[in-house]
Amino acid sequence: MLAGLIALSLAAAFCSAAIYINLAEHPARMLLDDANALAQWGPSYDRAFNYQGGLAVLSGAAGIIQALLSENWYWAIGAVLMLSNWPYTLAVILPLNNKLKALHVASADHQARAMLVRWNKLHGIRSLISAAAVCAYLAVAYRG
């Protein structure tokens, strides 16, 4: 059960960080002018990528380990949900991230702002995916 509790804890950490970004950090960033909003997004994204990426992988791995150890494959549902953040990020969010990173801060305009608004919506899906993973882990942990 230890691996399952680790999976749940890491998923909850990922989820809370993702929700924080959507509900607190990004809205505060968007109070800045276009250039400064874009300038703040870049370093914030770089730091969050490593942090959240690691949490997703570790949570997914712990969930799979718990499924194997317990032979309760419901743990794998949470694991697959957590790990699905990677392909979603790479396929859906990364192209927009690359466009945002290619922009010159000094020339940021309403188009940069529109891309940042879209980025937050796409990131919100990561928050939902991770919340679903937390719920899946909680359900199987509760049932034993």
Side-chain angles (χ1 to χ4, degrees), residues 20-90:
Y20 171 81
I21 289 166
N22 283 122
L23 298 181
E25 181 181 313
H26 196 74
R29 175 185 307 134
M30 297 306 286
L31 295 174
L32 301 170
D33 61 82
D34 298 340
N36 284 312
L38 180 61
Q40 194 281 335
W41 175 86
S44 174
Y45 167 77
D46 290 339
R47 287 183 176 98
F49 179 85
N50 293 327
Y51 174 72
Q52 285 193 289
L55 287 173
V57 169
L58 293 173
S59 174
I64 290 170
I65 290 168
Q66 184 61 42
L68 292 169
L69 292 174
S70 67
E71 296 182 359
N72 183 343
W73 298 106
Y74 288 108
W75 284 102
I77 295 170
V80 167
L81 284 165
M82 280 307 298
L83 292 171
S84 71
N85 277 293
W86 271 96
Y88 172 76
T89 299
L90 295 174

Side-chain angles (χ1 to χ4, degrees), residues 6-18 55 59 82 130 133-134 137:
I6 291 170
L8 172 59
S9 297
L10 295 172
F14 180 103
C15 183
S16 63
L55 287 173
S59 174
M82 280 307 298
S130 62
V134 169
Y137 282 148

Side-chain angles (χ1 to χ4, degrees), residues 38-39 41-42 45-46 89-105 107-109 111-116 118-119 122:
L38 180 61
W41 175 86
Y45 167 77
D46 290 339
T89 299
L90 295 174
V92 178
I93 299 178
L94 188 61
L96 180 58
N97 291 350
N98 292 337
K99 289 177 185 176
L100 283 164
K101 285 184 167 216
L103 295 174
H104 295 285
V105 171
S107 61
D109 59 7
Q111 290 178 329
R113 180 166 294 274
M115 288 194 298
L116 286 170
R118 181 169 178 255
W119 179 88
L122 295 175

